[in-house]
Amino acid sequence: MRLAAFMACALLLAACGAKPLELPTDPVDRAASCGVVAAAAARTALTDVKAPLPLAAQGKIFHYALLAASEGGEFEAETANRVNKRMRALEAGITGGKWRDLIPVCDSAFPAAAKSEIVLPSGRLDAQLACEELADFTDVALEGEDLHYANKLAGYRRMRTELNDALAAGLRARAGSGSEAQSRERHRALAAAAALGSPIPVLDKCVERFK
């Protein structure tokens, strides 16, 4: 689910468009539009627009897909995939216009994406599940990008593996032994993780808490 690499060439050609823009009303297109805006902002902040984005910037981009997929309180993978696809379809129209005007609009539409303070759930199992599921989602979202973020991603994977073992008993106690019920609980935990803030700072808090 690589979400930002396609931005470089378009931004070189359309750094300052004249067309005013508004966020779409469709939830998928709205999230996809903000993902494109986040990618554009991150790309233009680089000295070399073709260089890899910082890991935190990558997380900010795919956070919008995660938020859209979590609106019902339970993560839906198909919605996240639709947002990712729509980013590619909407990118040219957004970067060819006044996309910078949408930055505060996206912050207002998705307040979780603009959070500056990260606070993990106080309950141990809730925090474990949120951290483990977010680490898994991030691994999938950044598939193929290991070369650029190897050390960080390896640390998140180690944490995810350790948490998966540590929370097994608590998950069974809460959801039972059935795979469907446990999967639903995990999807709820990922939706809760989306609301905590931008994924990479959240994962860093997770690593700090579950060393």
Side-chain angles (χ1 to χ4, degrees):
M1 198 189 292
R2 287 174 290 178
L3 304 177
F6 65 93
M7 297 295 301
C9 292
L11 288 169
L12 286 171
L13 296 173
C16 187
K19 184 174 64 175
L21 300 171
E22 294 181 356
L23 281 186
T25 57
D26 177 78
V28 168
D29 282 4
R30 184 169 63 247
S33 296
C34 288
V36 171
V37 170
R43 183 63 63 191
T44 54
L46 297 177
T47 303
D48 178 1
V49 296
K50 295 184 179 181
L53 293 179
L55 180 57
Q58 290 277 23
K60 187 172 179 63
I61 295 164
F62 68 69
H63 192 198
Y64 291 102
L66 178 56
L67 287 167
S70 303
E71 283 191 357
E74 188 172 323
F75 174 75
E76 296 181 356
E78 178 55 32
T79 301
N81 290 334
R82 287 171 59 204
V83 172
N84 182 44
K85 291 177 182 177
R86 288 300 289 160
M87 279 186 64
R88 299 177 184 278
L90 296 172
E91 180 269 329
I94 293 172
T95 57
K98 295 183 178 180
W99 58 265
R100 289 178 179 83
D101 293 347
L102 290 180
I103 294 175
V105 180
C106 288
D107 287 346
S108 178
F110 297 93
K115 278 187 176 180
S116 58
E117 183 178 1
I118 307 298
V119 179
L120 297 181
S122 57
R124 184 170 181 80
L125 180 59
D126 290 333
Q128 287 175 322
L129 280 167
C131 291
E132 194 265 352
E133 288 300 308
L134 184 60
D136 183 58
F137 182 87
T138 298
D139 200 37
V140 174
L142 295 176
E143 185 178 3
E145 300 289 342
D146 300 53
L147 177 65
H148 305 306
Y149 318 111
N151 291 337
K152 276 276 197 175
L153 293 182
Y156 297 154
R157 288 177 189 134
R158 285 194 299 272
M159 177 190 67
R160 184 187 69 198
T161 299
E162 292 168 2
L163 285 177
N164 190 54
D165 294 338
L167 62 80
L171 182 59
R172 283 196 302 272
R174 175 178 291 184
S177 58
S179 60
E180 184 175 342
Q182 289 194 9
S183 178
R184 185 174 296 113
E185 193 65 33
R186 288 181 177 278
H187 288 167
R188 289 171 181 159
L190 183 52
L196 297 177
S198 193
I200 302 307
V202 172
L203 286 173
D204 289 341
K205 281 282 187 182
C206 291
V207 171
E208 181 181 332
R209 179 165 176 180
F210 299 111
K211 291 181 181 178

